[in-house]
Amino acid sequence: MTQSTEHVRCLIIGSGPAGYTAAIYASRANLQPVEYCGLQPGGQLTQTTTVENFPGYPAGVDGNQMMMDIREQAEHFGADIRDGIIVKADLSEAPYTLTVEDGHVIKADTVIIATGASAKYLGLDDERKYNGMGVSACATCDGFFYRKKTVAVVGGGDTACEDALYLAGLAKKVYLIVRKPYLRASKVMQERVMAKENIEILFEHNTIGLFGEDGVEGAHLVKRKGEPDEEMVDIAIDGFFLAIGHKPNSDVFKEWLDTDEVGYLKKIDGTPRTKIPGVFVAGDVADPTYRQAITAAASGCQAAIEAERYLLNQ
């Protein structure tokens, strides 16, 4: 297949709230942005059911619907939004060279990287089966639906403890399922979790499955797996929360840009700028802390404004 090449002023990579918002702002600034949607058009929000914490939707909004609305808004202002995955990047000199999976090459004066992050799962078939029906990787997004119910959180680090504490404020009871005989979380987080009477920590437990008719009703666990006193344990729960970390989708850019130890792209002085002039980051690929739709959208706005200013100064 012959390689086709095009030159664009602004290339946006990724299509969650960050990418789509960047496309709205870049279009209105007449940057004629081209946006590639990537692996999961609409991003992580398409995996959730109802989004209740995004301003402007008093009754909540379906995650998919919200992403379609923001995409439509970007297209309304002229954004060229395409399906496809960027598989290769050469950021050694401007215009920057990016290659799409079909071999198409784009030379871009500015690049906004909004490729997001993927929640880590245990890899159980039941996680897929009950996705959106009791399985969640975002306590702050979905915790509200489990008021006065019983939930489980999987993980032993700071995120798991934070999620357990957040859910303990809503749910009747929270199980914290920890694979090891100890918590990896910081001392202060450990103390808070231990002190909370409606959190029960299940040390040395592994989740092997979930069960339920029309959604999660319980989890199958193994206590002290592989030991002589190994035993099977079932717990009754209404919700199952994963808190074993996220993986930023940054692999394609790691050769050129700085990342932290997990792989989150580094910003300069809290701005969307990176160490390469004209290359900006937005959303969860550069945000290990907040990971919310609203903060991602805000960072998409910032990245587009920075791209516009960069081009004006060239």
Side-chain angles (χ1 to χ4, degrees), residues 18 21-22 25 112 267 270-273 280-283 295-309:
T21 304
Y25 276 79
I112 295 173
K267 307 174 193 182
T271 70
R273 295 193 292 273
F280 307 97
V281 292
T295 47
S299 69
C301 151
Q302 293 170 335
I305 290 173
E306 289 280 355
E308 181 195 3
R309 287 178 184 164

Side-chain angles (χ1 to χ4, degrees), residues 35-276:
E35 176 175 14
Y36 274 89
C37 284
L39 210 53
Q40 190 177 27
Q44 291 182 79
L45 271 190
T46 57
Q47 299 280 293
T48 65
T49 43
T50 310
V51 179
E52 292 194 323
N53 53 8
F54 200 91
Y57 295 98
V61 60
D62 175 79
N64 271 304
Q65 187 58 51
M66 186 168 114
M67 286 300 98
M68 289 191 312
D69 289 346
I70 304 179
R71 176 181 176 140
E72 198 180 311
Q73 198 171 346
E75 287 175 327
H76 170 74
F77 290 116
D80 180 351
I81 300 178
R82 308 172 182 177
D83 288 330
I85 300 165
I86 301 293
V87 291
K88 193 160 166 256
D90 180 350
L91 306 181
S92 57
E93 58 177 351
Y96 305 109
T97 306
L98 296 108
T99 309
V100 189
E101 59 193 330
D102 62 5
H104 181 60
V105 172
I106 294 180
K107 300 271 189 189
D109 297 331
T110 57
V111 179
I112 295 173
I113 300 166
T115 44
S118 307
K120 290 182 188 164
Y121 285 83
L122 297 171
L124 308 171
D125 288 340
D126 288 341
E127 287 171 316
R128 279 197 299 275
K129 179 180 169 184
Y130 294 108
N131 202 346
M133 295 163 62
V135 171
S136 169
C138 182
T140 44
C141 314
D142 299 327
F144 184 79
F145 303 113
Y146 298 93
R147 289 176 72 174
K148 305 206 173 8
K149 293 186 175 177
T150 301
V151 296
V153 175
V154 180
D158 277 336
T159 305
C161 288
E162 255 173 58
D163 285 1
L165 286 162
Y166 174 78
L167 291 164
L170 297 162
K172 183 175 67 186
K173 172 159 186 144
V174 179
Y175 289 106
L176 185 57
I177 303 170
V178 186
R179 216 179 34 187
K180 297 189 159 68
Y182 56 87
L183 290 170
R184 281 182 299 108
S186 58
K187 202 87 191 100
V188 60
M189 289 306 282
Q190 291 189 38
E191 284 164 6
R192 280 185 198 155
V193 167
M194 304 275 192
K196 200 84 179 140
E197 61 262 22
N198 63 337
I199 297 178
E200 184 181 338
I201 306 174
L202 302 175
F203 287 114
E204 293 185 272
H205 281 69
N206 280 285
T207 309
I208 52 168
L210 302 167
F211 59 90
E213 284 296 305
D214 300 317
V216 172
E217 290 172 18
H220 298 300
L221 313 176
V222 180
K223 185 179 180 182
R224 290 180 56 77
K225 193 177 178 183
E227 298 300 319
D229 58 351
E230 171 182 304
E231 86 180 271
M232 305 296 287
V233 179
D234 280 358
I235 55 170
I237 52 170
D238 304 293
F240 184 76
F241 288 86
L242 279 303
I244 51 176
H246 282 73
K247 185 191 181 301
N249 304 320
S250 59
D251 289 355
V252 176
F253 312 103
K254 277 184 176 166
E255 186 185 338
W256 310 101
L257 299 172
D258 294 336
T259 68
D260 70 6
E261 62 281 2
V262 180
Y264 286 98
L265 296 175
K266 285 190 174 171
K267 307 174 193 182
I268 290 177
D269 300 332
T271 70
R273 295 193 292 273
T274 66
K275 68 177 185 183
I276 297 179

